[in-house]
Amino acid sequence: MIRIGLIGAGFIGRNHFNQYEKLGQRAKVVALCDKEPQRRAGDWSGVGGNIADAQGTKRDLGDTKQYAEWRDLLADPAVQMVDICVPTYLHPEISIAALDAGKHVLCEKPMALSVEECDKVLRAAVKAKGRFMIAQCIRFWPECVYLKQAIDDRRFGKLKALSLRRQASTPTYSLNNWILDPKLSGGAILDLHVHDTDWALHLLGTPQTITAQICEREGSPDRVHSLWYYRPDLVVQIEGFWDMPPAFGFNMGFTARFEKAAVMFELSSGKPLTVFKEDGSTETPAMGPNDGYYNEIDYFLGCIERGAGPTISTPGESREAVRMALLEKESAKSGQTVRV
Ligand SMILES: NC(=O)c1ccc[n+]([C@@H]2O[C@H](COP(=O)([O-])OP(=O)(O)OC[C@H]3O[C@@H](n4cnc5c(N)ncnc54)[C@H](O)[C@@H]3O)[C@@H](O)[C@H]2O)c1
């Protein structure tokens, strides 16, 4: 049984708590930290987010210890693994302190707001005795895993074109709206779109060049459209924005055109991932039962149990996801294509 200390009981912290309950044979949240008394006591009635979470909003936390200060949680010897679900600007400081304290660490994406800060975290991870992973849930999302396998095993031939999209209404649910302050969240590019910079790296590796355009609102990037160049016979475009009107909600999707088929997934359509074949037929392959949040935590617990670092989502790759997003900003600012 791995004993968890969860820091941050907001939108994603509540989600992770629910995953640990499902994984109750292997993990237990023994300590919970949030600077808001109501939240650390398990009253999550004011917590919102961009993906519906059907689990209850008021929870009986039983014997889970409650902490107002994350440093006190780190000093608790009962905690073996720390799960960091606080606003992004706090990720590097808490990750480094938790690693230095000898804990295993799962930290929400993105790793940090700059490459320099990512490198500080990486240096702490290299000398740490605990395992470390950034929670890049998309790498573990069933439809995304399917696409990765289809690209790797070439079941539909070579990939010719790929479009990745992540689209949302302007977020209004984070505590005190920290998410809309680019100094705290990095704006849509480092909060939302970084999922896809990470995923594109996972699917295809490092591109040769990036060309991007970004729209800003009050100094915060809230829309990015990007072209990643790999080779002349592959087009990769990625779009991410949170400037949509309130009723839009959230969508993530992709279209992958292979030589012998196209694969499409659009979360908001409610339709399953569909393979469109050249003979006019379609297929809807069965997907695994759990979402990426469950799968990433299941995987990281497995890493700890096996005594091995993650290989699906390595800290170095999470650093690269941040670097690519920042290169997109550089391209948009200069109006030029940037070499990677
Ligand atoms: N993987 C995903 O799909 C996904 C989805 C949403 C958010 N996130 C990431 O998770 C992180 C948190 O986002 P959120 O939407 O849950 O935000 P949120 O505002 O809903 O929750 C953050 C919580 O952290 C607490 N907190 C803030 N500072 C603290 C401190 N110093 N000590 C203890 N608690 C503190 C707040 O009180 C709040 O309850 C962000 O980095 C975000 O990018 C990831």
Side-chain angles (χ1 to χ4, degrees):
M1 178 72 73
I2 298 171
R3 297 185 303 273
I4 314 292
L6 183 60
I7 307 180
F11 168 47
I12 204 68
R14 178 182 66 178
N15 176 305
H16 284 200
F17 185 92
N18 293 335
Q19 310 308 332
Y20 292 116
E21 281 198 332
K22 291 183 210 155
L23 288 155
Q25 299 293 320
R26 294 159 62 207
K28 176 171 169 41
V29 177
V30 296
L32 181 66
C33 168
D34 198 292
K35 63 184 180 52
E36 299 291 314
Q38 202 184 344
R39 292 186 173 197
R40 66 176 176 267
D43 179 354
W44 302 327
S45 44
V47 174
N50 61 9
I51 294 181
D53 192 334
Q55 306 275 347
T57 50
K58 278 195 186 178
R59 310 300 284 273
D60 176 3
L61 298 180
D63 57 359
T64 304
K65 284 189 240 169
Q66 297 166 25
Y67 290 102
E69 294 295 329
W70 57 264
R71 287 182 200 283
D72 294 336
L73 180 146
L74 295 190
D76 185 338
V79 172
Q80 296 171 301
M81 172 185 146
V82 175
D83 185 343
I84 301 170
C85 293
V86 289
T88 303
Y89 70 99
L90 293 166
H91 291 180
E93 185 186 7
I94 303 181
S95 294
I96 292 169
L99 288 164
D100 288 351
K103 313 290 186 186
H104 303 291
V105 178
L106 180 69
C107 176
E108 259 308 328
K109 42 53 67 177
M111 182 184 263
L113 294 172
S114 70
V115 173
E116 293 71 26
E117 281 184 311
C118 288
D119 286 339
K120 283 187 200 160
V121 177
L122 288 181
R123 282 195 288 276
V126 166
K127 59 181 173 55
K129 77 173 203 285
R131 307 289 161 199
F132 177 53
M133 188 173 94
I134 298 295
Q136 309 276 182
C137 60
I138 298 304
R139 290 187 182 222
F140 299 88
W141 216 272
E143 288 79 4
C144 304
V145 172
Y146 177 89
L147 180 62
K148 168 80 175 144
Q149 288 166 350
I151 290 173
D152 287 353
D153 66 20
R154 294 196 175 200
R155 70 190 72 167
F156 307 123
K158 222 168 142 181
L159 183 68
K160 291 167 46 176
L162 178 65
S163 155
L164 307 180
R165 38 194 180 272
R166 198 161 302 272
Q167 310 159 326
S169 304
T170 305
T172 52
Y173 47 78
S174 68
L175 195 69
N176 304 324
N177 246 347
W178 68 267
I179 206 169
L180 289 180
D181 182 340
K183 290 192 290 302
L184 307 184
S185 73
I189 194 157
L190 275 173
D191 191 89
L192 178 91
H193 171 73
V194 77
H195 277 300
D196 291 309
T197 64
D198 179 66
W199 192 32
L201 289 170
H202 183 50
L203 293 175
L204 300 167
T206 306
Q208 291 188 41
T209 65
I210 288 178
T211 314
Q213 283 193 277
I214 287 176
C215 299
E216 290 194 350
R217 184 176 34 185
E218 292 164 10
S220 182
D222 63 2
R223 171 178 285 267
V224 55
H225 293 250
S226 193
L227 283 170
W228 287 27
Y229 180 80
Y230 286 88
R231 51 175 204 260
D233 58 351
L234 173 64
V235 180
V236 177
Q237 64 165 23
I238 316 177
E239 64 182 51
F241 44 84
W242 65 25
D243 62 0
M244 297 298 274
F248 179 85
F250 176 76
N251 180 47
M252 67 173 174
F254 59 81
T255 309
R257 180 63 168 120
F258 294 87
E259 285 168 313
K260 292 185 255 171
V263 180
M264 190 167 166
F265 175 63
E266 208 74 67
L267 182 72
S268 63
S269 73
K271 292 183 186 160
L273 176 146
T274 304
V275 181
F276 299 85
K277 304 268 188 69
E278 293 300 333
D279 64 5
S281 65
T282 60
E283 260 179 34
T284 53
M287 295 292 128
N290 299 304
D291 67 16
Y293 299 121
Y294 177 95
N295 291 338
E296 73 187 354
I297 291 176
D298 178 29
Y299 175 75
F300 188 60
L301 293 176
C303 289
I304 297 171
E305 287 158 352
R306 288 190 301 278
T311 53
I312 294 182
S313 175
T314 68
E317 290 167 335
S318 298
R319 179 240 196 220
E320 284 298 281
V322 171
R323 186 169 77 92
M324 295 304 127
L326 295 174
L327 284 174
E328 289 176 331
K329 280 182 85 171
E330 192 181 313
S331 167
K333 197 170 171 201
S334 64
Q336 305 287 318
T337 293
V338 295
R339 287 227 143 258
V340 178

